[in-house]
Amino acid sequence: MSAITPGAASAGRLTPRAARLAAELEEWDRRTIALAELWPLFARADPASATRTTRRADLAATIAALVDAGMVTVSRSLDRTAMPPLPTRLTLPAPAATASAAALARAVPWRPELAWALTARLTVGQVGVLQTVNTWLRDHGRASDVLPLHERSLDLFGYEKRLDSLIGTSLFGPDRLTLKLLRTFRAHPPLPVRRVGDGPILLVIENSDTFDSLRRALSTTPTAVGHIAWGAGEAFEASVLSVGELPDVHDVAYFGDLDAKGLHIPTAAAASANVEGLPQVRPARGLYQLMLENGNPQPGQAPVDPERAAELATWLGEPSAVAAGELLTGGARVPQETVNARLLATTVDVWISDLW
């Protein structure tokens, strides 16, 4: 990763757009970047520019700001295919030993909530991010609006997924940026659910066709399943947090494909549910037993390391875990569509075993 270091001219504040492009350039893995490579970075730094007729002029002004700050140098050769001319290549400075972002941070009159920026080890791009937050706090700090994460991200940075990439960085943490400070929260994706009875069990199905077959089977078979949900594949890793909004659900049973992804999904969802104090996500054992007894393993999968296979299969419990682990290490899988409507109709005594 290349370090972008301001020179003596950088003792002023970057514009928000220039700061965002500086942040993108900090992630660049070479010291030079061609104009064709720069355009996608600029699109991420300033998404709104894509629809503006001044897009090229905006990039020219942003490059000029970075040059004035000593963060890049530009080639003598110019792209003159449109106006204004643009350099065909930018060069980033070599990594510097000094904490060069400190001068940029000292030039900012920080709000009390961000005073820690003066002593933190930050990159130039991070200083730019904090400048944007600083201006927002100045102008909107007394407001009371609370927006979901992607709405706040668009509100702050002009890009709905910017906060997603920042939350895992050193900018966030105790006494730093928090979701509360930004008046935002992670909205739980909705979990598509149908009510099929009055029982306490929520049965979650990975794929849509099996969801439909089981929904119809449950409509004619008395069980303790009160709700059936479509997990929508990997979406359930996040939508599991919506389980708490369902009334009278005390038991969550999951049924999915027998492959690495199909076992990772409920394992990850179970961990999230545990953190939030939600009902444990456990396997629908009768349905998995039915799949193992009737499925034809499909080869052609990437073999899973035995240790990882055992880790994934453990969630199933014995005796299914052993058979599932052998499938994974052997590079095979069994799709949950094996348990089709015809099989469900003739094996009720098997799959109902732990749903009653």
Side-chain angles (χ1 to χ4, degrees):
M1 182 182 299
S2 300
I4 302 172
T5 55
S10 67
R13 286 184 287 169
L14 289 173
T15 64
R17 182 188 295 144
R20 293 195 297 270
L21 184 56
E24 293 290 340
L25 289 171
E26 281 178 342
E27 300 297 322
W28 192 248
D29 59 2
R30 303 194 309 273
R31 284 196 59 204
T32 60
I33 178 169
L35 180 59
E37 297 170 317
L38 183 62
W39 277 116
L41 271 62
F42 185 60
R44 288 203 298 267
D46 191 30
S49 68
T51 59
R52 289 197 297 259
T53 58
T54 59
R55 181 171 180 245
R56 191 175 176 94
D58 291 341
L59 177 57
T62 305
I63 292 173
L66 295 178
V67 170
D68 288 344
M71 297 177 191
V72 299
T73 57
V74 297
S75 61
R76 292 184 179 181
S77 60
L78 298 175
D79 176 353
R80 299 181 183 276
T81 56
M83 294 298 290
L86 292 172
T88 59
R89 188 174 300 274
L90 304 186
T91 301
L92 313 180
T98 58
S100 58
L104 190 61
R106 286 194 297 270
V108 180
W110 296 108
R111 297 268 306 177
E113 303 95 323
L114 302 180
W116 53 269
L118 285 169
T119 56
R121 292 176 60 87
L122 301 171
T123 66
V124 171
Q126 287 177 323
V127 173
V129 167
L130 292 178
Q131 279 184 229
T132 300
V133 175
N134 197 61
T135 301
W136 178 78
L137 287 172
R138 181 197 67 196
D139 297 341
H140 304 285
R142 295 182 180 276
S144 58
D145 64 313
V146 178
L147 302 180
L149 189 71
H150 287 176
E151 292 182 10
R152 178 63 76 206
S153 185
L154 184 65
D155 181 46
L156 270 170
F157 302 106
Y159 179 43
E160 73 278 8
K161 296 182 180 179
R162 183 69 172 120
L163 278 175
D164 283 328
S165 65
L166 293 173
I167 285 176
T169 71
S170 59
L171 289 179
F172 275 77
D175 300 321
R176 294 204 169 189
L177 293 183
T178 63
L179 298 186
K180 182 178 180 181
L181 175 65
L182 300 180
R183 300 199 303 274
T184 189
F185 62 95
R186 285 191 178 277
H188 302 156
L191 183 64
V193 177
R194 295 290 183 271
R195 184 131 203 172
V196 293
D198 299 321
I201 298 176
L202 166 66
L203 177 61
V204 182
I205 309 301
E206 180 179 345
N207 300 325
S208 59
D209 282 12
T210 310
F211 167 85
D212 185 76
S213 292
L214 272 162
R215 180 182 60 81
R216 288 186 283 115
L218 289 167
S219 69
T220 60
T221 305
T223 67
V225 177
H227 299 81
I228 182 171
W230 174 40
E234 293 171 295
F236 185 58
E237 294 178 33
S239 63
V240 65
L241 299 180
S242 294
V243 169
E245 300 171 8
L246 297 175
D248 305 320
V249 168
H250 305 295
D251 182 11
V252 180
Y254 185 89
F255 178 50
D257 295 325
L258 277 177
D259 55 23
K261 186 175 77 171
L263 290 173
H264 171 78
I265 291 167
T267 301
S272 296
N274 182 59
V275 169
E276 295 297 323
L278 296 170
Q280 179 184 6
V281 178
R282 51 96 171 173
R285 294 180 179 84
L287 289 167
Y288 279 110
Q289 178 186 343
L290 200 61
M291 182 159 57
L292 284 167
E293 291 176 351
N294 293 272
N296 294 314
Q298 297 179 349
Q301 306 297 302
V304 179
D305 175 80
E307 185 175 343
R308 176 60 176 158
E311 180 184 347
L312 289 169
T314 295
W315 174 79
L316 286 171
E318 299 301 344
S320 298
V322 174
E326 291 174 351
L327 274 173
L328 297 182
T329 56
R333 67 187 294 270
V334 177
Q336 72 170 166
E337 287 81 2
T338 295
V339 181
N340 58 34
R342 183 175 59 252
L343 185 61
L344 288 169
T346 58
T347 58
V348 173
D349 58 327
V350 176
W351 61 264
I352 203 176
S353 61
D354 62 330
L355 300 177
W356 183 250

